[in-house]
Amino acid sequence: MAAQVRQWRTGTVGAAVVTVLGLTLTACGGAKVGDDSAGSGSPGKCGTFNLAVNPWVGYEADAAVVAYVAQKDLGCTVKKKDLKEEIAWQGFGTGEVDTVLENWGHDDLKKKYITQQKTAVSAGSTGNKGIIGWYVPPWLAKAHPDITDWKNLNKYASEFRTSESGGKGQLLDGDPSYVTNDAALVTNLKLDFKVVYAGSETALIQSFRKAEKNREWVIGYFYEPQWFLSEVPLVKVNLPAYTTGCDADAAKIACDYPVYDLDKIVSVKFAKSGSPAYRLVKNFTWTNDDQNTVAKYIAVDKMSPEAAAKKWVEANRDKVDAWLK
Amino acid sequence: MAVALEKSAPVAGVRRVGRRTVVAAILAAWLLLFVVLRGKQTLTLAAADLTDLHRWFNDVNDSIGADRNSNPLFLYFFNEIRLVIDNLVTFVQHLISQPPAGRPVPQIGWLGVVGIAGYVSWAVGNWRVALLAVAGFTFLGLQGLWQESMDTLSLTLSAVLVALLFAIPLGVGAGLSERFNRIVTPFLDFMQTMPTFVYLAPLTLFFLIGGASATIATVIYAAPPAIRITAHAIRSVPETTVEAAESLGATRRQALLKVLLPMSKRTVVMGVNQSIMAALAMVTIAALIDAPGLGKTVVQALQSLDVGTAFNAGLAIVVMAIVLDRVTTAAGAREETARRSKNRLLTWRRPLLGVGAVVTAVLVYLSHTYVWAAEFPGEGSIGGSIASAADTVTAWVQDNLSGLTNAFRDGITNGLLNPLQTLLTDSPWWLVGAVLIALGAVLGGWRAGVTTAVCVGLLVGTGLWSDAMTTLASTLVATVLVMLLGIVLGVWMGRSMLVDRLLRPSLDAAQVMPPFVYLVPFLALFGATRFTAIVAAVVYAVPVAIKIIADGVRAVPGTTVEAAVSAGCNTWQIITKVQLPMSCGALTLATNQGLIYVLSMVVVGGLVGAGALGYDVVAGFSQGQLYGKGLAAGLAIVLLGVMFDRITQAAARRASA
């Protein structure tokens, strides 16, 4: 018995040695690591470019395109960092983040990091118009066209009731980092609704997707530009029109959200560095449609961000060239 | 003896009946007062409102951020720690996951890593786990996730290494001194129940964005189990052995190094195992502060609701966890097995180990030098198939079950959750507080009563009383569901080895699979509601309850069961009259663990519509001006956890006494 075990063991060892030898021999023909290290384009004077990527697909589209251009045309080493807004802004001061590409208002962060700590500056508009508001699924807008006027919302309040809304209509809000006045709006517009916090963008999108598919009643917070709108074109509900200053007192807001001019924020150090990546960021502008296209490549067609950026850049060379001037 | 038994039995009976009546009386009084005082002094706070405490937390946070470049504490303390840990992480990453400067691939490619994994598993365990390790690691590559997996592995290894550096000495200390143990325990409780979201933002403030912060976040979560288990291991070395060593003239130091540590080695390895599992549980959370690896894939896939991709990455985490778990478990058991087996194999072991080392070295060399051995070959098409299969299954479940699930959800929500929540949130705070203290004292004794009183006081102090009560209602409902499922499946598993063998792997998977992966399907089934959060918590908490109950049922002596069978009991009677009553201790422990696990999911619940404390914590992580409130909410979750842990533990001690 013992002899058998021993024999078997030596057998395995022999086999292993032979296999390894075989591998070594065949490997002699294989490509060696470092053989093709010449690569594409040596890293230029750009150096490292730290790009924060905030967690929504539209931003990912911005970042994909900027990173692709910085890498291919300027020879930068791009380091993408997946971070929430607050943490990304924190990184300006420590030199770990050079750029935030899509800032939605966030006056609190601007005050803290631009005015007080003086670690960041704005690098101008991205060209994207940020629209925030209340949306309903398309089937609902078609079945009840008058629902897009806020004055009629109370009429339908009972239809929007859920297990979470305590007898009132449910107004679904999403991720806590969204800019939102919804609780004040419901009170000040005397709506028979309750704001229910879904807690994440994922939850919000899934709710709308399901509502359109099963013809359910849902009204909730949403925004453009957003890839999901190319899957389900949600319809915006008109709130009392925005006028300058109508949102001055947070508790008394009774008007729609302003149209946000989305802008780019860079660290002071990066702005002064003279890096070609800074010029690229400063010049970068595109439209909501541009962003939605790339976002759709990523989210719906499941392309990698690099592949999506490549596809868009190749089709829009003229726009890209303008950023590089 | 018989006389004593006869005497004590009726006394115990009276006491138990007495306790039940008291509990019923407390609850009746609560209901009565609720009807009268409903809606008064409920301490509600709107989502955007802050208290002075929250603002104070904000100010502290801001002032730290503002002078982090001039503060000597930063320059000479935090920055140094950061540097050391960052270097460690980068070093491991350059070895196996990230290309160092001047090389297109890491130092050791996939063939080398697979070789090392197999060799180490064989050396510390046995050839069966070595095979499992090789198969598991190869599978990761076939999934198309080689680099991500290696990033996760390097972060896990670094974190566990750092954690053990502190955990083993602390654990030995806690094992040797009861007083030290009593000092450390509350800190360990705190580290394990404080939601990670709460300290992610401050960690990046102290240790910057990147590997160091992610590792430290993981260490905080992964160290406590190792400390506890090491302490337990030291404590369970028989006193007589230590005394014998001391009578032979061993010094304290010698007794520790030559007797206590070697004798508790096996259990300490279990601590390492638990530490690794906890570290892997942090993978997705750490991805939120840019930790590289599988967690990032999960989080990114979730942004576009890509369940398939998220599942594929989640599965890779599960595979890695299973491999690491089995290897460390085998390592813990190896010496014992070796001692039992014949010496002849042992004489062969050394030369074999030598040969293995040479083979591994060759593999490492190959993977260092040749591209085919460095980069995992193929497109990872298995990963694609797994992703699309997961998508198909999810779509089918969503399309076909959502009618059923809505009815179930509404039933539980309207029948159980809403009434309980109303009772808790609409009663005056002092009434609920008094009821909690009274229940704590009656069920757990006066010590538990005092703990409850302190916790209630502090909960009011956090300014989030109403949110805490909402969370409490969901937690209780989830725990009830956990116990129902736990008893049914646990008894079934405890009574049949076959069921055990079939169920256990899926229980392991449910514990390690990141909850982020199943949130999307659950959202489709149940909508963004408190109930979705409850279901997610149940999935996470039920495996541990099932395992504990199954063990309890199995521990009931076979002779007792046989006696009951011969007395003519049917299966139902055996379960209800013999097995369940006799595993009472296990049931209480399962309730305790179930509750703690449910509480640890409160934050994840906040992402899918549970609101309350979970939402506060997530909001604090997302928005600067809510930071203090998020911190307070995290503290409130810890307080709820401590309160229930102490009450149920004291109750368990009474039940088993």
Side-chain angles (χ1 to χ4, degrees):
Chain A
M1 182 63 193
Q4 220 173 352
V5 168
R6 195 183 307 166
Q7 205 171 18
W8 181 79
R9 284 265 169 162
T10 24
T12 1
V13 174
V17 170
V18 169
T19 322
V20 169
L21 273 179
L23 282 175
T24 327
L25 287 176
T26 47
C28 292
K32 284 194 173 180
V33 167
D35 272 356
D36 56 346
S37 66
S40 56
S42 56
K45 58 182 170 154
C46 173
T48 308
F49 171 33
N50 296 305
L51 182 56
V53 184
N54 292 167
W56 58 89
V57 184
Y59 189 119
E60 223 180 292
D62 292 351
V65 169
V66 169
Y68 182 83
V69 175
Q71 231 155 10
K72 294 288 159 186
D73 292 294
L74 303 174
C76 309
T77 313
V78 181
K79 280 199 180 154
K80 285 193 194 173
K81 301 192 173 176
D82 292 289
L83 301 164
K84 281 220 172 201
E85 295 103 301
E86 169 76 15
I87 310 240
W89 286 62
Q90 211 174 279
F92 287 139
T94 57
E96 301 216 289
V97 172
D98 293 329
T99 301
V100 165
L101 274 178
E102 187 179 295
N103 167 49
W104 283 75
H106 281 305
D107 290 330
D108 53 325
L109 292 177
K110 281 192 165 172
K111 190 173 148 213
K112 187 162 156 188
Y113 293 98
I114 296 182
T115 319
Q116 289 171 358
Q117 298 191 9
K118 297 190 174 51
T119 53
V121 284
S122 174
S125 165
T126 62
N128 289 141
K129 295 277 168 276
I131 299 164
I132 295 178
W134 297 356
Y135 288 76
V136 291
W139 81 266
L140 189 55
K142 202 179 261 175
H144 303 276
D146 62 336
I147 207 164
T148 54
D149 185 349
W150 70 273
K151 290 192 192 97
N152 299 321
L153 284 178
N154 272 343
K155 192 170 83 183
Y156 295 111
S158 62
E159 298 278 359
F160 289 110
R161 260 198 317 236
T162 69
S163 61
E164 306 305 294
S165 59
K168 296 178 173 178
Q170 168 180 287
L171 177 70
L172 200 60
D173 261 39
D175 189 284
S177 51
Y178 290 166
V179 179
T180 172
N181 311 322
D182 288 354
L185 277 170
V186 166
T187 317
N188 298 332
L189 294 175
K190 298 190 175 56
L191 294 174
D192 192 20
F193 278 77
K194 184 185 172 198
V195 179
V196 171
Y197 295 94
S200 61
E201 183 163 299
T202 309
L204 194 59
I205 291 179
Q206 187 65 285
S207 302
F208 276 122
R209 185 184 267 177
K210 190 171 158 229
E212 175 63 10
K213 194 169 180 193
N214 304 339
R215 296 173 72 84
E216 290 166 5
W217 287 72
V218 166
I219 180 167
Y221 180 106
F222 214 68
Y223 65 91
E224 304 173 36
Q226 229 288 355
W227 65 273
F228 178 66
L229 297 177
S230 64
E231 183 188 321
V232 177
L234 300 176
V235 181
K236 191 169 182 291
V237 174
N238 295 313
L239 294 171
Y242 176 85
T243 51
T244 316
C246 75
D247 55 356
D249 184 351
K252 289 184 184 148
I253 291 175
C255 60
D256 210 339
Y257 293 86
V259 173
Y260 288 93
D261 186 14
L262 304 188
D263 60 346
K264 302 157 283 189
I265 312 291
V266 295
S267 79
V268 172
K269 219 165 80 192
F270 182 59
K272 287 180 182 160
S273 69
S275 160
Y278 171 65
R279 244 182 310 133
L280 169 67
V281 169
K282 182 116 182 114
N283 291 339
F284 167 75
T285 56
W286 63 352
T287 64
N288 281 12
D289 283 341
D290 289 329
Q291 194 199 66
N292 282 339
T293 309
V294 180
K296 184 181 160 289
Y297 291 157
I298 297 174
V300 184
D301 307 339
K302 300 193 176 171
M303 291 167 75
S304 73
E306 293 74 34
K310 184 165 185 265
K311 189 170 172 186
W312 186 87
V313 167
E314 277 166 9
N316 295 276
R317 197 66 233 184
D318 50 327
K319 287 190 188 173
V320 175
D321 286 337
W323 303 339
L324 292 169
K325 267 177 202 157
Chain B
M1 188 65 192
V3 178
L5 259 181
E6 251 166 50
K7 246 186 188 172
S8 70
V11 172
V14 167
R15 209 180 281 160
R16 194 160 300 155
V17 169
R19 203 178 295 154
R20 269 190 203 155
T21 333
V22 175
V23 170
I26 294 171
L27 294 180
W30 183 12
L31 282 175
L32 203 71
L33 284 169
F34 167 73
V35 174
V36 183
L37 298 163
R38 185 173 183 167
K40 286 177 190 146
Q41 291 160 314
T42 56
L43 300 181
T44 45
L45 189 71
D49 288 353
L50 300 177
T51 69
D52 288 339
L53 178 77
H54 306 162
R55 281 191 207 95
W56 184 74
F57 282 143
N58 282 349
D59 293 343
V60 172
N61 187 36
D62 288 349
S63 62
I64 291 173
D67 67 4
R68 75 176 306 293
N69 283 330
S70 50
N71 191 328
L73 194 62
F74 270 101
L75 294 177
Y76 301 107
F77 183 68
F78 291 121
N79 288 3
E80 299 297 324
I81 296 180
R82 189 191 97 81
L83 223 67
V84 171
I85 293 186
D86 216 29
N87 280 333
L88 172 71
V89 176
T90 323
F91 172 74
V92 182
Q93 277 186 325
H94 283 172
L95 271 186
I96 58 174
S97 68
Q98 300 281 355
R103 266 178 74 83
V105 288
Q107 301 285 4
I108 304 176
W110 72 271
L111 191 64
V113 173
V114 170
I116 294 175
Y119 176 67
V120 171
S121 313
W122 176 59
V124 303
N126 53 50
W127 64 270
R128 260 188 236 107
V129 293
L131 214 63
L132 178 77
V134 169
F137 274 62
T138 314
F139 181 70
L140 298 177
L142 293 174
Q143 280 186 293
L145 293 167
W146 181 260
Q147 203 206 336
E148 290 87 344
S149 305
M150 288 307 106
D151 269 324
T152 294
L153 184 66
S154 23
L155 211 69
T156 307
L157 289 181
S158 320
V160 170
L161 193 73
V162 177
L164 292 182
L165 226 56
F166 294 100
I168 303 233
L170 283 175
V172 170
L176 290 177
S177 145
E178 186 51 38
R179 210 166 104 211
F180 185 64
N181 189 38
R182 232 176 290 143
I183 297 171
V184 177
T185 305
F187 287 100
L188 299 183
D189 290 345
F190 189 82
M191 285 157 81
Q192 280 188 299
T193 32
M194 186 64 151
T196 334
F197 273 72
V198 174
Y199 52 80
L200 275 186
L203 272 183
T204 59
L205 202 63
F206 285 111
F207 301 107
L208 305 187
I209 298 153
S213 289
T215 310
I216 293 168
T218 312
V219 167
I220 294 175
Y221 189 68
I227 299 177
R228 284 187 216 262
I229 294 175
T230 308
H232 172 74
I234 296 282
R235 233 174 287 131
S236 41
V237 172
E239 244 170 70
T240 46
T241 323
V242 185
E243 275 163 20
E246 270 165 5
S247 71
L248 287 172
T251 61
R252 267 190 75 93
R253 196 185 142 80
Q254 280 169 331
L256 177 66
L257 290 178
K258 306 273 173 188
V259 181
L260 281 173
L261 278 179
M263 282 194 73
S264 51
K265 202 157 91 189
R266 219 194 115 199
T267 320
V268 172
V269 174
M270 287 312 298
V272 177
N273 172 304
Q274 283 306 300
S275 204
I276 294 176
M277 294 299 114
L280 276 173
M282 279 288 297
V283 165
T284 37
I285 307 277
L288 296 173
I289 48 170
D290 200 43
L294 295 165
K296 221 175 207 181
T297 316
V298 172
V299 170
Q300 270 174 357
L302 221 68
Q303 281 167 30
S304 49
L305 282 71
D306 185 351
V307 181
T309 306
F311 179 80
N312 190 38
L315 187 64
I317 297 175
V318 172
V319 168
M320 192 178 288
I322 289 179
V323 168
L324 295 177
D325 174 61
R326 299 300 187 266
V327 170
T328 41
T329 309
R334 197 189 72 81
E335 270 190 33
E336 210 169 291
T337 340
R339 216 176 298 133
R340 255 188 269 128
S341 68
K342 294 277 170 283
N343 278 342
R344 200 160 304 183
L345 272 176
L346 277 179
T347 52
W348 269 100
R349 195 174 155 75
R350 260 168 211 284
L352 278 175
L353 278 176
V355 173
V358 172
V359 173
T360 313
V362 172
L363 293 181
V364 169
Y365 168 75
L366 287 178
S367 73
H368 180 78
T369 317
Y370 294 103
V371 174
W372 62 266
E375 283 171 351
F376 202 90
E379 304 287 305
S381 51
I382 289 190
S385 327
I386 291 174
S388 60
D391 273 336
T392 318
V393 171
T394 315
W396 185 88
V397 169
Q398 289 175 8
D399 290 347
N400 292 286
L401 297 183
S402 86
L404 266 174
T405 50
N406 282 350
F408 183 58
R409 174 194 74 198
D410 291 346
I412 298 267
T413 306
N414 294 326
L416 197 58
L417 183 56
N418 281 346
L420 185 61
Q421 187 175 322
T422 313
L423 187 60
L424 280 165
T425 55
D426 285 9
S427 298
W429 67 270
W430 48 266
L431 176 58
V432 182
V435 169
L436 286 174
I437 295 168
L439 285 179
V442 173
L443 294 174
W446 68 272
R447 266 171 193 275
V450 171
T451 314
T452 317
V454 172
C455 289
V456 166
L458 291 173
L459 268 177
V460 173
T462 61
L464 294 168
W465 175 263
S466 180
D467 280 357
M469 289 304 111
T470 309
T471 296
L472 178 57
S474 302
T475 309
L476 290 178
V477 171
T479 311
V480 168
L481 292 177
V482 165
M483 286 313 288
L484 285 178
L485 275 170
I487 289 175
V488 172
L489 292 173
V491 168
W492 197 29
M493 236 171 97
R495 290 171 55 88
S496 151
M497 264 334 257
L498 179 71
V499 176
D500 186 290
R501 223 167 287 145
L502 289 175
L503 270 182
R504 209 166 272 270
S506 23
L507 296 185
D508 290 347
Q511 275 185 297
V512 188
M513 180 64 87
F516 282 47
V517 173
Y518 46 81
L519 287 187
V520 173
F522 282 4
L523 279 167
L525 288 178
F526 305 109
T529 59
R530 284 164 294 160
F531 188 71
T532 308
I534 290 177
V535 177
V538 169
V539 169
Y540 184 64
V542 88
V544 70
I546 294 178
K547 286 179 186 172
I548 294 173
I549 293 173
D551 280 345
V553 168
R554 209 166 293 138
V556 174
T559 46
T560 319
V561 178
E562 273 161 34
V565 172
S566 63
C569 286
N570 58 27
T571 312
W572 176 251
Q573 284 168 328
I574 290 174
I575 294 173
T576 53
K577 298 270 171 0
V578 181
Q579 287 178 322
L580 278 181
M582 283 192 73
S583 45
C584 186
L587 286 178
T588 344
L589 179 64
T591 316
N592 173 291
Q593 286 300 298
L595 242 166
I596 302 294
Y597 273 60
V598 166
L599 269 176
S600 71
M601 285 285 284
V602 164
V603 175
V604 172
L607 296 171
V608 288
L613 292 182
Y615 181 87
D616 294 335
V617 170
V618 180
F621 176 57
S622 308
Q623 279 198 42
Q625 74 262 42
L626 293 178
Y627 167 75
K629 194 177 183 181
L631 182 57
L635 288 173
I637 294 174
V638 174
L639 289 169
L640 285 177
V642 169
M643 188 160 85
F644 283 103
D645 180 61
R646 296 299 181 273
I647 295 177
T648 44
Q649 276 198 15
R653 240 173 279 138
R654 282 193 171 191
S656 56

